[in-house]
Amino acid sequence: MSMRRRTLLKVIVLGDSGVGKTSLMNQYVHMKFTQQYKATIGADFVTKELQIDDRDVTLQIWDTAGQERFQSLGVAFYRGADCCVLVYDVNVMKSFDSLDNWHEEFLKQANPTDPRTFPFILLGNKIDVDGGNTRVVSEKKAKDWCASKENIPYFETSAKEDINVDAAFHCIAKTALANEREQDMKQYGFIKQWRFGYDHYLVLHFSLHSRDL
Amino acid sequence: MGARSTDSARVLKFTKELSGQMIVVERLRELAWSGVPPYMRPDVWRLLLGYAPPNSDRREGVLRRKRLEYLDCVAQFYDIPDTERSDDEINMLRQIAVDCPRTVPDVAFFQQAQVQKSLERILYTWAIRHPASGYVQGINDLVTPFLVVFLSEYLDGSIDSWSISELSSANISNIEADCYWCLSQLLDGMQDHYTFAQPGIQRLVFKLKELVRRIDEPVSRHVEDQGLEFLQFAFRWFNCLLIREIPFHLVTRLWDTYLAEGDALPDFLVYIFASFLLTWSETLQKLDFQELVMFLQHLPTHNWTYQELEMVLSRAYMWHSMFNNSPSHLAS
């Protein structure tokens, strides 16, 4: 029997309608790009299995609808999230301006234990469009915004050309994993053991788990 | 073709019902519930929705007036420069323009630029005239059954061979007007499905959960044990009236039943969707959370024919007669 534990991480993807949330997810999971997507209603769901530092991880990614009207659904989808991915289109200023709203609305509805340290990641998508000539949000502007929000990691991506998509999601998984560990520690009061290394923690966690059985 | 909807005895009954000077809409509803012969659909749908009046003497005049009224609305609200629109209106138009190219993308006909323009005009005009909700994503899907049915009066053969550029602009605007008014009539019965926080849909999703619990306790318990919420899969069903979940060529048949239900539709949707979900009762009980979500988001209906769809509808009808009249039946 394998003692390896598969960690489930719940990731929420948010951002204005048409910025490419579904495309990014499908490029990442299915390595495909098509112009044929339907507008997402409610939320779509995909999973991806990967390894982070020898640990088996499954990302459960909820790709949400971009229209504000659906924000009230958030509670059903955001709860228990380990990481929130914000997406905007570098060619559409409004999608960048909406980021504050998405950030705030997520924290309100997901209600994480520590809103200040809850992991977010920002993706500026569609950098391929017209060779960058239609771009209206500069990298600096985006990075300044990230700095103002507890230093959110930032990636510039193209779902169409598969630029930076893997790197971005890898970072998402790592960040979510780090957050999950920290949450577990706090929950079980093992914050000191954490310093002795990861293996130690695993054993403790396992024994806790088996007691439940 | 649905076997029942084209069978000659049924066609005869429809012909008889439609030929009178004064149509008895209730009798037409009963017939239409089990499917309308395709070439009669435009007339029958207009009547069922109360857009065309039952009195044949008045019908043409009313339709002419309504179609002109639509043209006026387009001129007044759509065909104006952005400088005359409010910020909210500009945002709404932008949202509609983003969604039109993403409407039924798997059917090539909807990729024609003129079709997308028609869709945009209908949706924007509807949204402006319904400020309580405005445009909500998914309403774009709801126009498509009307569009194909009213286009079928002018274009022959299969939708794969249709080209909208064959139509005169007068015909196109009549078709758009019919879509606009029929969409308005349909959604008047479910206004709170699309207003802020979509309380109508929330309520029906709750009812669906309750109904499934009464009909199929093991599925209900399994779904709950896995931590899956009905809202996580059934929201889209209600928001798009199941259009996304079945092959497009079956949608008009499904809508025959919807429109025959009339005012009772929202409550009956709960029965249809319960029946739809429980088509896979046994499969669902074998899946864990992750598999459940994936399965429910991509239900294996690609090869469905009228037969599977009509099975869903008949079972919904049966459960409705069993439970709706005796709400506490089976409650214990």
Side-chain angles (χ1 to χ4, degrees):
Chain A
M1 191 185 84
S2 165
M3 294 287 276
R4 280 174 83 100
R5 183 166 80 104
R6 181 161 276 289
T7 307
L8 292 180
L9 296 174
K10 179 172 173 179
V11 176
I12 310 291
V13 185
L14 299 179
D16 274 7
S17 198
V19 298
K21 299 181 290 298
T22 304
S23 295
L24 279 164
M25 244 182 35
N26 279 283
Q27 181 58 266
Y28 178 57
V29 174
H30 304 296
M31 283 151 283
K32 271 195 298 206
F33 178 84
T34 141
Q35 312 272 11
Q36 289 213 336
Y37 292 120
K38 299 172 185 177
T40 306
I41 305 294
D44 288 340
F45 179 83
V46 292
T47 64
K48 172 96 170 181
E49 301 192 342
L50 68 165
Q51 273 203 340
I52 304 271
D53 305 336
D54 280 340
R55 191 146 172 205
D56 293 323
V57 170
T58 300
L59 290 185
Q60 295 185 335
I61 310 173
W62 287 97
D63 163 32
T64 65
Q67 197 181 13
E68 269 180 43
R69 180 58 46 88
F70 298 122
Q71 274 184 8
S72 54
L73 279 177
V75 183
F77 293 103
Y78 303 172
R79 199 174 17 203
D82 296 294
C83 179
C84 174
V85 182
L86 299 170
V87 186
Y88 77 99
D89 176 347
V90 299
N91 307 286
V92 179
M93 188 54 80
K94 190 187 159 288
S95 70
F96 181 78
D97 292 338
S98 302
L99 291 173
D100 275 325
N101 178 38
W102 286 114
H103 184 260
E104 190 182 319
E105 196 63 31
F106 175 83
L107 288 176
K108 200 160 79 189
Q109 297 202 40
N111 196 19
T113 34
D114 189 353
R116 274 181 319 113
T117 59
F118 185 86
F120 283 88
I121 278 195
L122 179 66
L123 308 185
N125 192 36
K126 302 200 189 182
I127 56 165
D128 60 281
V129 173
D130 199 18
N133 288 323
T134 51
R135 182 168 184 148
V136 292
V137 183
S138 69
E139 191 170 354
K140 176 163 186 316
K141 195 176 162 104
K143 283 185 167 164
D144 286 350
W145 186 85
C146 290
S148 77
K149 298 276 190 277
E150 314 280 338
N151 283 318
I152 295 177
Y154 176 59
F155 288 86
E156 304 220 318
T157 57
S158 160
K160 188 177 180 187
E161 303 296 336
D162 195 13
I163 299 170
N164 247 349
V165 177
D166 247 28
F169 276 92
H170 195 81
C171 175
I172 288 161
K174 265 192 114 129
T175 313
L177 191 60
N179 180 59
E180 199 234 15
R181 283 176 192 163
E182 211 169 282
Q183 290 305 312
D184 282 3
M185 299 298 141
K186 281 185 188 157
Q187 203 171 343
Y188 299 114
F190 289 157
I191 208 79
K192 278 182 185 153
Q193 276 88 339
W194 171 237
R195 302 210 179 109
F196 298 119
Y198 180 58
D199 285 340
H200 192 54
Y201 153 67
L202 246 192
V203 174
L204 284 167
H205 191 103
F206 188 80
S207 60
L208 244 185
H209 193 73
S210 46
R211 204 177 55 194
D212 294 338
L213 296 176
Chain B
M1 280 307 117
R4 289 217 303 226
S5 63
T6 48
D7 126 350
S8 61
R10 278 180 57 75
V11 170
L12 220 59
K13 280 187 190 164
F14 270 104
T15 313
K16 186 161 163 273
E17 245 8 280
L18 290 172
S19 61
Q21 188 244 334
M22 191 68 184
I23 286 167
V24 183
V25 178
E26 285 318 303
R27 280 215 298 271
L28 195 59
R29 281 191 200 289
E30 271 175 45
L31 277 178
W33 202 96
S34 315
V36 180
Y39 73 96
M40 294 180 175
R41 233 174 225 140
D43 285 328
V44 172
W45 281 19
R46 281 188 287 255
L47 285 158
L48 291 178
L49 283 161
Y51 165 46
N55 185 337
S56 66
D57 297 341
R58 291 182 52 228
R59 201 166 303 145
E60 224 174 293
V62 167
L63 292 183
R64 198 180 315 119
R65 187 168 53 73
K66 291 270 192 184
R67 286 165 180 165
L68 280 174
E69 194 180 325
Y70 169 76
L71 269 186
D72 282 345
C73 287
V74 171
Q76 191 184 339
F77 301 120
Y78 181 83
D79 291 327
I80 56 170
D82 274 357
T83 48
E84 288 174 34
R85 296 184 217 276
S86 69
D87 284 352
D88 282 349
E89 287 167 359
I90 289 175
N91 280 336
M92 197 156 66
L93 184 54
R94 193 182 296 147
Q95 179 72 65
I96 291 169
V98 167
D99 288 347
C100 285
R102 304 195 286 177
T103 305
V104 203
D106 38 337
V107 174
F109 175 74
F110 286 100
Q111 294 304 304
Q112 296 177 23
Q114 267 184 287
V115 176
Q116 294 180 2
K117 266 292 162 218
S118 286
L119 205 52
E120 187 175 300
R121 270 191 295 270
I122 297 165
L123 287 167
Y124 185 73
T125 311
W126 182 86
I128 288 285
R129 302 257 304 199
H130 295 80
S133 68
Y135 171 72
V136 177
Q137 291 190 300
I139 297 181
N140 57 326
D141 291 59
L142 304 186
V143 182
T144 58
F146 294 125
L147 205 51
V148 294
V149 163
F150 296 129
L151 277 160
S152 75
E153 289 186 284
Y154 300 89
L155 296 169
D156 295 327
S158 119
I159 187 169
D160 301 320
S161 64
W162 286 2
S163 164
I164 197 168
S165 52
E166 287 169 24
L167 299 179
S168 68
S169 58
N171 285 341
I172 291 179
S173 81
N174 285 346
I175 292 165
E176 281 181 23
D178 288 6
C179 292
Y180 167 83
W181 288 110
C182 287
L183 178 73
S184 301
Q185 294 292 97
L186 175 73
L187 294 186
D188 276 356
M190 354 192 196
Q191 283 183 29
D192 62 352
H193 287 209
Y194 301 100
T195 49
F196 177 75
Q198 304 186 259
I201 293 186
Q202 301 267 2
R203 192 181 62 238
L204 294 185
V205 169
F206 179 78
K207 282 189 175 180
L208 175 64
K209 186 180 166 191
E210 287 303 297
L211 182 64
V212 169
R213 193 173 54 81
R214 288 170 68 187
I215 296 172
D216 195 330
E217 220 272 327
V219 164
S220 170
R221 193 162 4 100
H222 180 70
V223 165
E224 195 162 331
D225 288 349
Q226 289 300 317
L228 178 67
E229 290 191 37
F230 273 61
L231 206 59
Q232 288 171 331
F233 63 90
F235 179 82
R236 183 172 77 194
W237 297 5
F238 284 104
N239 195 75
C240 302
L241 299 181
L242 224 58
I243 288 183
R244 299 270 183 112
E245 323 305 325
I246 60 171
F248 189 69
H249 70 274
L250 297 180
V251 168
T252 47
R253 166 64 195 90
L254 174 62
W255 282 46
D256 289 339
T257 303
Y258 284 178
L259 304 188
E261 283 287 328
D263 293 341
L265 177 61
D267 282 325
F268 194 65
L269 286 175
V270 175
Y271 287 87
I272 297 180
F273 294 0
S275 169
F276 183 66
L277 175 71
L278 295 174
T279 302
W280 298 279
S281 170
E282 279 178 36
T283 314
L284 294 174
Q285 292 175 58
K286 295 185 196 119
L287 306 177
D288 68 15
F289 173 82
Q290 202 164 299
E291 293 163 335
L292 274 171
V293 184
M294 301 286 265
F295 184 78
L296 289 166
Q297 293 221 334
H298 310 275
L299 288 163
T301 58
H302 340 282
N303 298 321
W304 271 29
T305 63
Y306 289 95
Q307 210 179 346
E308 286 84 2
L309 179 61
E310 288 184 350
M311 182 60 96
V312 167
L313 294 173
S314 320
R315 205 166 36 202
Y317 182 85
M318 183 186 77
W319 286 340
H320 183 257
S321 348
M322 277 169 68
F323 296 123
N324 204 45
N325 301 325
S326 53
S328 58
H329 181 63
L330 275 204
S332 52

